[in-house]
Amino acid sequence: MSESSSPRAASFPSSPGDPRVDVTQGGALLRSLTGPLARWLPRQRWFAGKGRPLAGLTLLSATELLPCDAPGYAPGLLHLLVRTRQSGPAPAAGDCYQLLLGVRAALPPDLMPALVGRPSEGPLRDRAVYEALYDPRLAAVLLERLRAPGRLGALRFDRAPGAEIPRGLTARALSGEQTNSSVVYGETHILKLFRRVSPGLHPDLELPRALAEAGCTRVPAPCAWFEASWPDGGGGEPLTLGVLQPYLAGSSDGWQLALHSLGSRADFSAAAHALGRAMAEVHTALAQTLPTSVLDRGQLEQTATAMHDRLAQAAGAVPELRPYRTGLGRAYAALAGYARGGGDCLAQRLHGDLHLGQVLRRSGEAHWSVIDFEGEPARPLADRRLPGPPVRDIAGMLRSFDYAACQHPDGGSWAADWSRASRGAFCRGYAAASGFDPLSTPEVLRAYETDKAVYEVLYEARHRPHWLHVPMTAIRRLAAATP
Ligand SMILES: Nc1ncnc2c1ncn2[C@@H]1O[C@H](COP(=O)(O)OP(=O)(O)O)[C@@H](O)[C@H]1O
Ligand SMILES: O=P(O)(O)O[C@H]1O[C@H](CO)[C@@H](O[C@H]2O[C@H](CO)[C@@H](O)[C@H](O)[C@H]2O)[C@H](O)[C@H]1O
């Protein structure tokens, strides 16, 4: 395509105020992008369908945030929602992904690592199409949109009342191992873009907003967010696409702090105790603000069955797990036994994927903040919004102390003692602030810890096979324990 021809002519309208984009006109656009995206998508850390070949893509919506036909070096910016089709033994409905693509005639060398590809046909022919978040000029466009609420094509931008978002903050994309993608603006704000998206309010917007409104200071309060109307009209519920919140500059996450403590043979009990208190505060605020219920015998038995099913599924996918099925199943049978003996559990909204990487502390401060209320990314969104026992989150953090201890180079008894002391201190801190001691219902705690370790086996097998041994160490311990 020459510099003077217009890619928009062959693509789609994007006038402000137009709630829907006519994707029928996006056929040419999709054809031009399918080849490059089919090669690029499966390589992304956030691509959830690893291991199954990508069979096709459907364009659900396309919004032009900056014109893609500008001459010279001016970049264009496209927002796309695409649905994947994957082949495999059980053909799945496919996942919907959010893409932000930059478009330039020529890519400067510093942006080469962000290249998605150069389409060989269609409206973007011979253009460099690239991951826009790595281009500070394009990331800045997104921030400007978030500052000014309103609609653009399928997208709707909102801002919390009274939130201050300065203009012109410098953008830098985070490059770490992430389920989603984040951009830090001016070291004061951070935008998280959800990658695999589904209709329904996202818990990582819903829960921090609820907590902020309840006056809980443990969570950075969302200042702006954006969503899309469901492009094919189905479901009715919007898709949450991204959330901007204050950036806690100069903080370290609990994982880094735990590894430092292990490496320097320093005690972590005081930090773990404070962390237990922080989580108890978060749980208490969630229980006061959002609906709670009591899981009765039938529901707890169903929970135990669901845990059995998850184990069977995971063992189907990860052969290393198979020899431990009977031993692990005893933990779920003990939960069902607890229910039959008259035990019940309070259920409330939870963090859903609590681990040391989700808690932040500024250097020299004792105050823990909690981030990433997305829940376990592999679970369907509706499941992640269901209430559950607080012990589920507690089990997640206990597993995390164990994970950290496994990183200690000489392992051995010192690391095991560190883990035991940290786990105990966390539970004591939690009990002191909430009045509920997680160790008082050992059957429930063990069942949830086992369920989490099974999840981790699947997670590591899919994303970090070289770490599979970490949850497998716990699997062996949990399978051998007597209820
Ligand atoms: N409010 C924040 N302040 C400082 N750092 C943050 C903040 N939110 C996220 N981060 C950093 O970004 C990383 C990824 O954020 P997270 O919400 O966990 O994303 P994901 O769901 O993709 O894992 C975190 O590990 C943390 O280092
Ligand atoms: O942080 P995410 O929401 O992306 O959570 C996923 O990735 C985590 C790893 O980054 C994974 O956590 C597991 O590894 C951690 C160490 O890297 C450890 O602290 C956790 O205890 C362990 O579960 C998490 O399970 C996954 O959902």
Side-chain angles (χ1 to χ4, degrees):
M1 190 179 64
S2 73
E3 286 294 354
S4 57
S5 63
S6 162
R8 261 177 303 167
S11 52
F12 39 81
S14 64
S15 57
D18 172 11
R20 296 272 309 277
V21 168
D22 181 359
V23 295
T24 57
Q25 294 184 43
L29 175 73
L30 184 64
R31 269 197 305 282
S32 76
L33 285 174
T34 297
L37 285 179
R39 287 184 288 277
W40 180 78
L41 265 177
R43 296 202 309 268
Q44 303 314 300
R45 162 70 171 79
W46 40 262
F47 183 72
K50 296 204 172 66
R52 284 174 294 140
L54 193 57
L57 290 173
T58 311
L59 183 63
L60 299 176
S61 95
T63 308
E64 200 173 38
L65 287 154
L66 275 184
C68 295
D69 55 355
Y73 291 103
L77 179 57
L78 282 178
H79 181 281
L80 303 184
L81 291 175
V82 295
R83 186 182 289 294
T84 54
R85 271 195 318 283
Q86 293 192 258
S87 43
D95 292 316
C96 176
Y97 290 95
Q98 167 175 215
L99 308 178
L100 261 174
L101 300 178
V103 177
R104 293 194 194 219
L107 207 54
D110 60 323
L111 284 175
M112 280 312 285
L115 183 69
V116 174
R118 288 177 198 277
S120 56
E121 58 170 316
L124 300 179
R125 204 176 108 196
D126 293 340
R127 294 268 167 152
V129 175
Y130 62 103
E131 167 68 273
L133 295 179
Y134 289 101
D135 185 340
R137 273 170 80 176
L138 297 184
V141 172
L142 213 49
L143 183 69
E144 271 315 295
R145 284 285 167 201
L146 288 161
R147 293 184 69 248
R151 280 186 177 281
L152 179 70
L155 310 180
R156 182 196 152 93
F157 295 82
D158 270 306
R159 186 171 165 166
E164 293 209 357
I165 311 171
R167 180 186 286 276
L169 299 174
T170 308
R172 94 179 146 86
L174 291 187
S175 56
E177 285 277 295
Q178 268 190 265
T179 301
N180 298 287
S181 299
S182 302
V183 183
V184 175
Y185 290 99
E187 307 303 307
T188 57
H189 290 75
I190 181 166
L191 171 67
K192 173 159 156 183
L193 268 119
F194 303 113
R195 288 305 198 157
R196 190 161 66 105
V197 291
S198 5
L201 182 55
H202 199 289
D204 207 11
L205 173 59
E206 179 190 20
L207 298 187
R209 279 186 79 194
L211 285 164
E213 277 162 26
C216 175
T217 58
R218 296 292 181 177
V219 174
C223 0
W225 50 93
F226 72 113
E227 54 192 16
S229 41
W230 190 230
D232 52 16
E237 284 197 277
L239 301 93
T240 311
L241 298 176
V243 181
L244 183 76
Q245 57 171 235
Y247 180 66
L248 306 173
S251 56
S252 306
D253 67 33
W255 178 253
Q256 294 163 325
L257 294 169
L259 293 191
H260 182 263
S261 152
L262 275 154
S264 54
R265 297 216 162 208
D267 182 46
F268 201 63
S269 300
H273 191 274
L275 190 51
R277 294 193 76 99
M279 273 324 296
E281 272 178 41
V282 169
H283 280 165
T284 303
L286 286 173
Q288 283 167 353
T289 321
L290 294 164
T292 60
S293 61
V294 174
L295 296 183
D296 60 15
R297 173 178 169 167
Q299 288 162 316
L300 279 177
E301 283 178 334
Q302 273 173 21
T303 303
T305 305
M307 288 174 170
H308 270 295
D309 292 348
R310 280 195 285 274
L311 170 60
Q313 250 181 12
V318 188
E320 288 87 336
L321 208 43
R322 290 177 199 158
Y324 304 102
R325 277 182 68 170
T326 310
L328 297 174
R330 282 199 293 266
Y332 307 148
L335 174 64
Y338 166 82
R340 282 195 296 276
D344 58 18
C345 268
L346 172 83
Q348 61 157 96
R349 295 299 300 277
L350 300 172
H351 181 281
D353 190 15
L354 192 65
H355 58 81
L356 283 162
Q358 317 281 39
V359 290
L360 304 177
R361 214 177 67 172
R362 282 201 170 108
S363 153
E365 288 180 15
H367 182 91
W368 286 103
S369 297
V370 187
I371 57 165
D372 194 2
F373 285 74
E374 180 176 30
E376 286 169 3
R379 289 197 197 214
L381 187 81
D383 276 19
R384 291 191 253 139
R385 292 182 64 205
L386 292 174
V391 162
R392 210 185 121 197
D393 277 349
I394 292 161
M397 190 56 86
L398 298 186
R399 288 286 315 116
S400 212
F401 290 122
D402 203 41
Y403 249 74
C406 275
Q407 305 301 307
H408 195 254
D410 33 293
S413 69
W414 191 83
D417 287 349
W418 179 97
S419 174
R420 209 170 301 114
S422 301
R423 289 162 60 105
F426 178 80
C427 290
R428 282 195 300 281
Y430 190 93
S434 70
F436 168 69
D437 181 356
L439 301 174
S440 65
T441 53
E443 303 90 338
V444 184
L445 185 59
R446 180 160 163 250
Y448 274 100
E449 207 184 330
T450 306
D451 190 46
K452 187 72 189 182
V454 169
Y455 163 85
E456 288 167 343
V457 166
L458 202 54
Y459 176 86
E460 299 301 355
R462 278 187 188 152
H463 297 282
R464 301 184 294 199
H466 56 292
W467 277 40
L468 185 57
H469 68 279
V470 178
M472 282 307 299
T473 307
I475 290 289
R476 279 189 287 277
R477 173 175 56 80
L478 289 160
T482 18

